[in-house]
Amino acid sequence: MAQIRITGNPNLRLEGKVRISGAKNAVLPAIAASLLTREKLRLKNVPLVKDVYTILTLMKEMGAEYSIRRNSITLQSRDILHEEASYELVRAMRASILVLGPLLARRGKAIVALPGGCAIGSRPIDLHIHGLEKMGATISLQHGYIQAEAKKLRGTEIRFEKKTVGGTENLLMAAALAEGETVLKNCSLEPEVINLCDLLKKMGARIEGIGQETIRVMGVAELGGATHEIIPDRIEAGTFLVAGALTGGNIVLTKTQPKHLTSIIDKLRLSGADISLINSQTIRIRGSENIRPQDITTSPYPGFPTDMQAQFSVLMTQARGTSIITETIFDRRFSHINELLRLGANIDVSGDKAVVKGKTPLSGAEVLATDLRASASLVLAGLIASGETVINDAEHLERGYEGMEEKMQALGAIIELSH
Ligand code: EPZ
């Protein structure tokens, strides 16, 4: 069981440079997209995090070959020998559901375990299934598995009842090889969706409306290989920006995409942080002694990301006043709050709102990580808590942050990850 030990310091000032890794939530659909072609896909700027190894295990089970050289992966699915994504793998990482669309498009068949719930909510996939059925797939749920078949997916018009990143990605990949035109309406606008569209276009897909809510895809007979750069991880960047704001620090983030961080930067500036753009890939944050409370409501991109909600709530424990955090995307994304209370935070949860009262000094304690972003929030809290914080089940952090321990150490944190 992985464990993180942090020697916290209420007067800690994180200072230095941190290079942002590639985005986990961009590389996972890109790896799934390799199922759409027999040719080689070369992905660069890949974060070597646990979720990447999990989906590579799934790809290998299906018959794909891959090689990793530093932060590049070369993948090839010459033949798909096995169209099944097992419960064991899907339970380990629900993003495995992203193979459903590509498998149906390439092979006309897919057996994918239902992802089930997780610490942040019920995580249904009804919108994925509804869209694929509209494209002509026959889908049944048996023994906890999605059994899907489609001789040939047919283009049609699909409107997502609500914004779904994974649903948009699955249907984009399915539409790329479907017969005729698919019009997807109410698409997610996240940068990771755009990065996937850019990859599909490089592979030969015919897509119009990239970055808009309506995307038109004209199916083609087959797709080719491509070389593609994964965008920087905007949530990792946001996490380090919060670390800078929290510690009154002075941190330069390199290899990042400031234009993806607008909603996060706006809120951090309103809370008192000084953030300056150094160039198109570099930003500096100087934290303020006096952190001002901010109300945030999570919403689909370009709104404030749900994946930054836990981290921002830690910052608000140090603000002078009351902040109201409203989580609108997931139905249970406050599991980090109970752990923050153990560290001395003053937070009341009721329904979709967490009311954070600050400024409360935090004191180190033993806490439990429940999911990826919750574990990041516990690291942030541990940095400024007096005394030692021990975070158990720290595997959650390794799922989506590449070298968090080393990056924080380089900025002056006293943090150790052990297995
Ligand atoms: C992606 O999850 C991200 N994961 C999540 O990041 C992120 O929080 C989420 O998008 C934000 O919307 C990856 O990209 C791998 P959704 P996804 O489909 O695609 C409901 C992290 O920490 N919904 O956009 O699963 C759903 O329950 C992770 O990196 C349906 O009701 O999210 C949720 O309430 C956590 N039916 C909302 O929509 C469906 O068929 C948004 O879900 C699909 C989703």
Side-chain angles (χ1 to χ4, degrees), residues 24-26 28-29 51 93-95 97-98 118 120-130 162-169 188 190 192 233-235 299-301 305-307 327-331 333 371-373 400:
K24 163 183 82 86
N25 291 350
L28 295 178
D51 274 7
M93 185 194 61
R94 65 176 313 282
I97 194 68
L98 291 172
C118 71
I120 66 177
S122 47
R123 312 299 291 273
I125 51 161
D126 54 312
L127 302 176
H128 299 237
I129 289 173
H130 174 70
K162 63 193 293 191
K163 288 266 193 279
T164 162
V165 171
T168 302
E169 291 166 344
S188 290
E190 273 69 2
E192 295 76 27
D233 194 315
R234 61 195 167 95
I235 304 303
S299 63
Y301 195 90
T306 172
D307 293 348
E327 171 56 57
T328 70
I329 306 290
F330 289 106
D331 52 9
R333 198 169 196 170
D371 65 85
L372 169 57
R373 307 306 173 182

Side-chain angles (χ1 to χ4, degrees), residues 197-214:
C197 288
D198 293 344
L199 166 59
L200 292 172
K201 282 201 81 164
K202 285 178 191 166
M203 293 166 70
R206 293 171 54 193
I207 305 177
E208 284 168 26
I210 296 178
Q212 291 163 37
E213 289 192 336
T214 297

Side-chain angles (χ1 to χ4, degrees), residues 71-385:
N71 285 87
S72 288
I73 295 182
T74 302
L75 285 140
Q76 187 164 18
S77 299
R78 245 190 289 265
D79 293 308
I80 295 177
L81 311 173
H82 191 57
E83 301 97 358
E84 181 169 330
S86 68
Y87 177 52
E88 184 198 355
L89 279 170
V90 175
R91 189 178 54 180
M93 185 194 61
R94 65 176 313 282
S96 308
I97 194 68
L98 291 172
V99 301
L100 179 60
L103 279 176
L104 265 184
R106 171 87 183 273
R107 296 282 296 162
K109 188 174 175 226
I111 301 172
V112 180
L114 267 171
C118 71
I120 66 177
S122 47
R123 312 299 291 273
I125 51 161
D126 54 312
L127 302 176
H128 299 237
I129 289 173
H130 174 70
L132 292 168
E133 282 177 334
K134 280 201 76 175
M135 294 183 75
T138 308
I139 298 181
S140 60
L141 305 183
Q142 290 163 16
H143 312 300
Y145 279 78
I146 299 159
Q147 317 262 349
E149 298 215 355
K151 287 233 174 333
K152 183 75 180 158
L153 291 170
R154 288 186 315 279
T156 183
E157 178 166 310
I158 297 163
R159 163 174 285 283
F160 293 108
E161 277 165 44
K162 63 193 293 191
K163 288 266 193 279
T164 162
V165 171
T168 302
E169 291 166 344
N170 241 335
L171 269 299
L172 277 166
M173 292 188 278
L177 288 178
E179 213 148 65
E181 181 180 58
T182 302
V183 182
L184 299 175
K185 297 196 165 186
N186 196 23
C187 292
S188 290
L189 303 173
E190 273 69 2
E192 295 76 27
V193 173
I194 295 174
N195 201 220
L196 174 65
C197 288
D198 293 344
L199 166 59
L200 292 172
K201 282 201 81 164
K202 285 178 191 166
M203 293 166 70
R206 293 171 54 193
I207 305 177
E208 284 168 26
I210 296 178
Q212 291 163 37
E213 289 192 336
T214 297
I215 299 178
R216 312 177 85 89
V217 183
M218 180 56 79
V220 293
E222 61 180 18
L223 292 169
T227 295
H228 181 66
E229 172 111 2
I230 298 299
I231 54 170
D233 194 315
R234 61 195 167 95
I235 304 303
E236 183 193 25
T239 304
F240 279 100
L241 287 172
V242 168
L246 191 63
T247 62
N250 183 346
I251 302 178
V252 172
L253 279 68
T254 63
K255 199 84 169 66
T256 185
Q257 276 271 15
K259 67 181 180 190
H260 294 160
L261 301 170
T262 307
S263 60
I264 300 167
I265 290 174
D266 289 352
K267 277 297 174 185
L268 287 171
R269 281 177 170 153
L270 286 170
S271 74
D274 168 29
I275 299 175
S276 48
L277 201 58
I278 296 177
N279 61 43
S280 62
Q281 293 195 349
T282 311
I283 41 182
R284 176 196 297 278
I285 181 164
R286 286 188 181 85
S288 154
E289 288 307 312
N290 175 21
I291 299 168
R292 294 192 288 267
Q294 292 300 315
D295 293 347
I296 57 159
T297 298
T298 64
S299 63
Y301 195 90
F304 191 90
T306 172
D307 293 348
M308 281 299 302
Q309 179 254 105
Q311 300 91 308
F312 200 81
S313 55
V314 175
L315 180 64
M316 292 298 101
T317 68
Q318 302 309 304
R320 295 177 198 289
T322 300
S323 307
I324 299 176
I325 314 252
T326 306
E327 171 56 57
T328 70
I329 306 290
F330 289 106
D331 52 9
R332 272 197 329 271
R333 198 169 196 170
F334 288 132
S335 60
H336 53 287
I337 302 279
N338 286 332
E339 302 306 310
L340 293 178
L341 295 179
R342 286 183 47 72
L343 296 168
N346 179 350
I347 306 175
D348 272 321
V349 174
S350 138
D352 64 355
K353 289 181 181 6
V355 180
V356 185
K357 288 195 170 61
K359 172 176 170 99
T360 48
L362 301 182
S363 63
E366 190 162 356
V367 289
L368 187 66
T370 51
D371 65 85
L372 169 57
R373 307 306 173 182
S375 52
S377 73
L378 296 177
V379 169
L380 293 171
L383 292 174
I384 57 158

